[in-house]
């Protein structure tokens, strides 16, 4: 199971460490955060102790309504469960007992100035991406007119050169050579780079180029949802038929099915244009449009007396 450290989380959100500074190497392995409201009133059934615990104004205000003895009891009880860390939002200050017990138990206590709702939304998104199951594959990832595309093929087939053509047409590079795929949900696959190759595109006979330096900031983006898997293959005579509508095939990555298209290469063939057409065709299908269906309707209407 993937995990990140509390220190990584603190760095990402510039969190202030109030207690447990010597234990920020503790691991976080669950993506959803928890607000321990019920636990502060003594109900611990189903308590997700392995999640980051976020304390907003509701939780802190409730604790301040208790007597000192009750406050000490409730805070000590929840800290004893040893969650990865506690995060106090909205820059709240009235938390001396929470600070004390977190220090005693070696649990990091952090604080942010952000409001509870906004911070939880950002933190959930961050943890979902960081802890998502992932694999690395050989290929190129592009965003073509807002459509995330995985471009695959044997080494030397022309993936990077095709990507370069698309970038010059105004589309964006996400990753070249090594594409990191992250599963964010049952039907959501995110493509990104491995940091080392960020913004770089390797072109045979030319070498590495930095697409941002060469073509501007709009030539690159960090990530894109993958909705098409396109494989470049060598040309084979009579292997492809000019059908009205090609039967849809799928690739499977981490249990996520992605529509698959094969494009065969031949000198003079506009592969970049075909990829643009595939992206636009996918988008229109999401809107419920089928060119083949419209074509057949025209034929049927034309045959009517």
């Amino acid at each position: 199971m993937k995990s990140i450290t509390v220190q990584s989380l603190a760095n990402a959100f510039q969190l202030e460490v109030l207690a447990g500074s010597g234990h920020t190497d503790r691991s976080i392995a669950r993506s959803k955060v928890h607000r321990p409201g019920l636990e502060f009133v003594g109900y611990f059934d189903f308590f997700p102790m392995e999640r980051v615990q976020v304390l907003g104004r509701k939780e802190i205000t409730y604790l301040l309504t208790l007597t000192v003895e009750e406050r000490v009891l409730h805070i000590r009880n929840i800290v004893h469960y040893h969650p990865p860390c506690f995060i106090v939002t909205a820059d709240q200050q009235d938390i001396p007992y929470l600070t004390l017990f977190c220090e005693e138990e070696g649990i990091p206590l952090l604080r942010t100035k952000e409001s509870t709702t906004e911070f939880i939304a950002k933190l959930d998104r961050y943890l979902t991406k960081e802890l998502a199951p992932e694999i690395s594959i050989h290929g190129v990832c592009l965003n073509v007119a807002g459509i995330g595309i995985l471009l695959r093929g044997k080494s030397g087939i022309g993936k990077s050169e095709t990507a370069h053509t698309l970038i010059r047409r105004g589309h964006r590079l996400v990753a070249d050579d090594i594409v990191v795929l992250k599963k964010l949900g049952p039907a959501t696959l995110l493509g990104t780079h491995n940091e080392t190759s960020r913004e770089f595109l390797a072109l045979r006979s030319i070498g590495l180029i930095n697409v941002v330096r060469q073509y501007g900031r709009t030539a690159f983006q960090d990530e894109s949802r993958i909705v098409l898997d396109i494989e470049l293959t060598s040309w084979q005579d009579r292997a492809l038929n000019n059908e009205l509508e090609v039967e849809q095939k799928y690739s499977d990555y981490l249990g996520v099915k992605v529509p698959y298209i094969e494009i065969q290469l031949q000198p003079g063939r506009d592969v970049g244009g075909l990829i643009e057409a595939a992206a636009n065709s996918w988008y229109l299908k999401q809107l419920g449009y089928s060119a083949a269906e419209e074509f057949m309707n025209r034929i049927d209407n034309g045959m009517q007396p």
Side-chain angles (χ1 to χ4, degrees), residues 32-283:
K32 294 295 183 180
V33 303
H34 178 66
R35 296 184 69 175
L38 288 175
E39 290 75 21
F40 277 133
V41 299
Y43 184 78
F44 283 92
D45 291 355
F46 312 109
F47 175 41
M49 67 187 78
E50 69 281 4
R51 294 182 180 176
V52 173
Q53 307 296 314
V54 176
L55 309 180
R57 291 194 181 278
K58 287 183 180 180
E59 290 78 16
I60 299 301
T61 301
Y62 168 74
L63 290 174
L64 293 175
T65 65
L66 304 176
T67 65
V68 172
E69 292 77 13
E70 290 173 328
R71 198 180 311 160
V72 167
L73 176 64
H74 288 308
I75 294 175
R76 178 182 282 130
N77 283 345
I78 195 170
V79 172
H80 278 174
Y81 276 86
H82 281 228
C85 66
F86 291 92
I87 303 177
V88 176
T89 61
D91 203 26
Q92 298 175 90
Q93 307 291 322
D94 296 322
I95 51 173
Y97 291 106
L98 185 60
T99 304
L100 174 64
F101 294 133
C102 283
E103 191 66 52
E104 288 182 354
E105 296 289 336
I107 308 299
L109 173 63
L110 309 109
R111 182 164 59 197
T112 177
K113 294 181 179 181
E114 293 194 60
S115 68
T116 307
T117 303
E118 291 181 358
F119 178 72
I120 287 178
K122 291 179 182 179
L123 184 54
D124 274 340
R125 287 195 297 269
Y126 172 80
L127 291 175
T128 296
K129 288 183 181 180
E130 291 297 313
L131 301 177
E134 68 177 49
I135 56 173
S136 296
I137 67 166
H138 177 65
V140 179
C141 183
L142 297 155
N143 185 284
V144 177
I147 308 299
I149 290 177
L150 183 62
L151 192 60
R152 297 186 298 109
K154 294 181 179 179
S155 181
I157 196 73
K159 300 182 295 297
S160 297
E161 289 82 354
T162 301
H164 181 252
T165 298
L166 289 165
I167 291 166
R168 292 191 63 202
R169 292 181 180 180
H171 305 295
R172 297 181 174 184
L173 174 71
V174 176
D176 180 42
D177 191 33
I178 298 176
V179 181
V180 179
L181 300 177
K182 296 187 176 187
K183 181 180 180 180
L184 301 188
T188 304
L189 194 69
L190 189 74
T192 186
H193 51 82
N194 66 350
E195 291 295 341
T196 303
S197 61
R198 187 178 190 272
E199 301 176 358
F200 287 118
L201 182 68
L203 299 174
R204 291 178 183 271
S205 303
I206 304 298
L208 279 177
I209 67 169
N210 185 308
V211 297
V212 172
R213 294 292 184 92
Q214 195 148 338
Y215 298 112
R217 293 173 58 189
T218 58
F220 173 82
Q221 69 181 54
D222 271 309
E223 58 192 31
S224 183
R225 182 188 173 194
I226 302 297
V227 297
L228 281 178
D229 179 29
I230 297 179
E231 183 178 13
L232 304 183
T233 62
S234 300
W235 182 266
Q236 297 179 33
D237 289 338
R238 294 183 295 277
L240 299 177
N241 297 317
N242 189 22
E243 300 172 349
L244 291 182
E245 190 163 28
V246 178
E247 179 184 356
Q248 185 63 72
K249 298 179 181 179
Y250 294 89
S251 301
D252 187 298
Y253 298 102
L254 297 168
V256 179
K257 291 188 178 299
V258 180
Y260 167 85
I261 297 173
E262 178 189 1
I263 295 180
Q264 293 190 4
L265 304 183
Q266 189 180 45
R269 205 170 193 215
D270 182 10
V271 180
L274 291 174
I275 292 174
E276 289 176 317
N280 291 329
S281 178
W282 177 89
Y283 177 74

